[in-house]
Amino acid sequence: MEQLWVPSLPILGGRMLPLLRHCCDFGSHHALTWRSIFQTSGREQKQIRSWSAQCSANHEGASVSEKDSPKTILAVPDNSLLDARILYCTSPALGHNKEAHPESNKRVPAIVDALEKLELSPKHRGSQVLEIQNFNPASLDDVARVHSRSYITGLQKAMSAAADEGLILIEGTGPTYATETTFQESLLSAGAGITLVDSMVAASKLGPNPPLGFALVRPPGHHAVPQGPMGFCVFGNIAVAARYAQHQHGLKQVMIIDFDVHHGNGTSDAFYDDPDIFFLSTHQFGSYPGTGKINEVGQGDGEGTTLNLPLPGGSGDYAMRCAFDEVIAPSAQRFKPDIILVSAGYDAHALDPLAGLQFTTGTFYMLASSIKQLAKELCGGRCIFFLEGGYNLQTLSSSVADTFRAFLDEPSLAAQFDDPAMLFEEPTRRIKEAIENAKGIHSL
C-alpha cells in the first residue's frame, strides 16, 4: 500500500462539457481519504477539502476501461488544410477556476479576444487561419501512455467530491486545485493536441507546407509528472501528444522545445530515458520547481536527449537569440526530428508576475519565427505549439497574437506593446557562461 504520489512543492496549473461517461473499476486499495480545510476568502468562508488517493505500488493495478466506441475522425476538408497557414484549437476550461488564482479561466478568452481585435481570427483571415471546433477529448488510454492509471482513476473519482464541495485542493501540491469539471476539461485540453497532430499529419500529406498548430488550452501541462499533478498542471498535454504522434502516426523522433520561464519537469520525467524524444528546456535558474539543472541530460538509452539551459535572472531577448542560434538549432539539426512540439510559456515576459526574466513580445515573435523555419528545414514544417504559462493577461494575449503573426510571416507588432524603458541590462557574461556550459556538456 502506498499513497498516490503528489509533489510537495507549490502546484496546478475550460468550456463546460457534458459528463464524460467512463467505466472505472476501483479495487479496495483505491479508497480516497479526506481532510477538511477551512479557508477564508473575502467575505465568505469556504470549506475546501484536499484529497489524496491510496493505491497499490503496482500502477497497473488500477483498471481503466472505456466504452467501445471508435474515435470520431474530424472531417476537415482537404482544401481547408491546403489553404490554412495556422490551425488552432481552444479549450478555455471555464469550469476549472479558483478565485484570485493566477492560472484562471480568463487566460484563453483574453487570447481569443486579442486575436479578434488584432484581426488574426478566422473571421478576418478567412482560409488562412482555421479553428478546429468540436474536437474529441483524449481517451483514457491516450493519457495513460504518460500518466499512471492510478492517478487517472483517482482524479476521476475525486470529481464527485468536487461536485459536492465546489473546490478541492490536491494534497501536497500547494495551490493546485480541482473543480467538478477539471477531469473532463483536462481530457479535452489533451484532446486538442491530439487533434492538431492528426490534422498536421493529414496536411503534410497534401503538400510540402502544412500549417502550424497552436493548442490554446488550459490547464497547462508541462509540470504534471507521470504520477500526479503539479505546478497548476493536471495532464501533460504536450507529452500526451508526443506519445500519440509516435503511436498513431509513426513519428518516431519527437523534439520538444520548452521556453516557459519554469522548467518543464513533468515532460522531462516522462521521457528522461527515451532516446526518441529530445526534450530541451530554457528556464530561469533557481525558479520553481528547482529542477532542470544543466547537468541533467537523461539516463540509460535516453542519455543525451535531455538538454537543460538554466538562464540567469534578467535574461531577455539577447539571451534567447544566442540560445536559439547556439543551442536550440544545433541540437535540432543533430537530432533530426519528425515533428517539433513547443511548450510555449509566456511567463518569461518582463511584466509577468511569477518570474524574473525579461522577454518581450518581440522575443516570443523571434522564437516563433525561428522555430517555424527550423521545422520547415528539418521535418516538413510539422510543428505544434502548446500554451503553458503566462499570467499577465495583457502580455500573454499580445505575445500569443504576435506568435500568430510570426506564423503568418507578417511583421511583429511588438513596438506597440513593449516599452523599452521597462528593461534593464542583461547579465551577458553569465548568459554566455551558461550557453558555453550547455554546448560543452552536449558537444555542440
Side-chain angles (χ1 to χ4, degrees):
M1 300 281 290
E2 69 174 8
Q3 188 171 355
L4 175 64
W5 185 88
V6 288
S8 59
L9 297 165
I11 317 289
L12 197 109
R15 182 166 55 187
M16 299 290 289
L17 290 176
L19 179 65
L20 300 179
R21 300 181 182 276
H22 297 293
C23 302
C24 296
D25 177 20
F26 289 87
S28 60
H29 56 286
H30 291 293
L32 291 174
T33 60
W34 296 88
R35 177 170 58 83
S36 294
I37 300 175
F38 291 90
Q39 178 171 310
T40 301
S41 175
R43 296 182 179 178
E44 57 182 336
Q45 186 181 59
K46 297 179 180 178
Q47 184 179 31
I48 304 172
R49 300 196 176 205
S50 62
W51 66 275
S52 60
Q54 291 185 342
C55 59
S56 69
N58 179 8
H59 293 276
E60 297 308 315
S63 173
V64 182
S65 62
E66 297 184 271
K67 290 185 175 180
D68 295 327
S69 58
K71 235 181 200 181
T72 301
I73 304 300
L74 287 171
V76 180
D78 286 356
N79 61 332
S80 295
L81 291 176
L82 275 172
D83 295 340
R85 304 281 299 281
I86 298 174
L87 296 176
Y88 72 99
C89 299
T90 62
S91 178
L94 297 178
H96 175 78
N97 190 56
K98 181 178 183 293
E99 185 180 353
H101 196 284
E103 208 293 289
S104 75
N105 64 3
K106 297 177 182 178
R107 296 177 67 230
V108 174
I111 294 169
V112 172
D113 287 347
L115 295 177
E116 185 65 29
K117 290 176 183 177
L118 295 170
E119 299 185 354
L120 293 164
S121 66
K123 172 184 173 182
H124 297 282
R125 295 304 181 118
S127 60
Q128 275 194 323
V129 178
L130 176 65
E131 179 183 8
I132 301 177
Q133 300 177 324
N134 302 319
F135 51 91
N136 291 319
S139 71
L140 300 188
D141 286 339
D142 291 331
V143 178
R145 292 193 185 101
V146 172
H147 295 287
S148 68
R149 292 189 179 262
S150 56
Y151 164 49
I152 299 168
T153 54
L155 179 62
Q156 184 179 30
K157 189 172 183 180
M159 292 299 95
S160 60
D164 293 337
E165 302 298 330
L167 184 73
I168 56 176
L169 297 180
I170 301 174
E171 187 168 352
T173 65
T176 302
Y177 66 89
T179 67
E180 64 179 306
T181 62
T182 292
F183 184 76
Q184 299 97 310
E185 290 178 321
S186 297
L187 287 177
L188 185 66
S189 292
I194 287 172
T195 296
L196 288 170
V197 169
D198 286 338
S199 301
M200 191 70 53
V201 170
S204 66
K205 292 177 180 178
L206 297 174
N209 297 304
L212 283 90
F214 207 134
L216 295 173
V217 301
R218 58 175 294 275
H222 74 150
H223 291 310
V225 295
Q227 304 93 338
M230 186 173 174
F232 309 166
C233 304
V234 179
F235 294 141
N237 303 316
I238 199 167
V240 170
R243 282 287 185 237
Y244 181 85
Q246 291 179 317
H247 178 83
Q248 189 70 20
H249 295 291
L251 299 175
K252 181 180 179 183
Q253 300 278 103
V254 181
M255 182 168 192
I256 299 176
I257 300 170
D258 187 330
F259 58 71
D260 190 280
V261 77
H262 304 107
H263 177 241
N265 61 296
T267 313
S268 179
D269 286 358
F271 306 128
Y272 203 61
D273 59 358
D274 191 331
D276 296 323
I277 294 186
F278 193 106
F279 175 69
L280 191 157
S281 176
T282 62
H283 47 274
Q284 183 178 345
F285 177 82
S287 64
Y288 173 87
T291 53
K293 303 293 190 297
I294 200 167
N295 59 355
E296 295 173 9
V297 298
Q299 67 183 10
D301 292 339
E303 185 174 353
T305 55
T306 294
L307 191 157
N308 290 303
L309 179 54
L311 296 170
S315 295
D317 193 74
Y318 167 80
M320 282 310 299
R321 288 179 185 274
C322 293
F324 186 87
D325 292 341
E326 299 185 43
V327 177
I328 297 174
S331 296
Q333 289 159 355
R334 184 168 64 187
F335 182 66
K336 297 179 175 61
D338 296 315
I339 188 171
I340 295 176
L341 306 180
V342 181
S343 273
Y346 294 87
D347 43 5
H349 195 282
L351 297 180
D352 195 274
L354 295 192
L357 295 187
Q358 51 173 347
F359 290 11
T360 65
T361 308
T363 310
F364 295 116
Y365 178 92
M366 177 274 296
L367 283 168
S369 180
S370 300
I371 292 171
K372 173 187 175 180
Q373 183 61 31
L374 198 62
K376 183 176 181 179
E377 294 171 0
L378 299 178
C379 52
R382 289 185 291 269
C383 182
I384 303 170
F385 280 48
F386 292 73
L387 182 65
E388 299 287 1
Y391 307 103
N392 177 317
L393 296 182
Q394 182 175 346
T395 59
L396 168 65
S397 55
S398 61
S399 296
V400 172
D402 230 36
T403 297
F404 270 50
R405 291 184 67 85
F407 289 172
L408 294 168
D409 294 319
E410 296 179 0
S412 171
L413 295 181
Q416 297 183 18
F417 303 112
D418 297 331
D419 180 4
M422 71 181 176
L423 305 175
F424 53 90
E425 186 177 358
E426 294 185 49
T428 54
R429 180 183 60 81
R430 294 171 59 202
I431 290 167
K432 290 177 181 177
E433 288 177 355
I435 289 174
E436 289 304 317
N437 285 342
K439 289 169 64 177
I441 290 170
H442 290 271
S443 303
L444 296 174

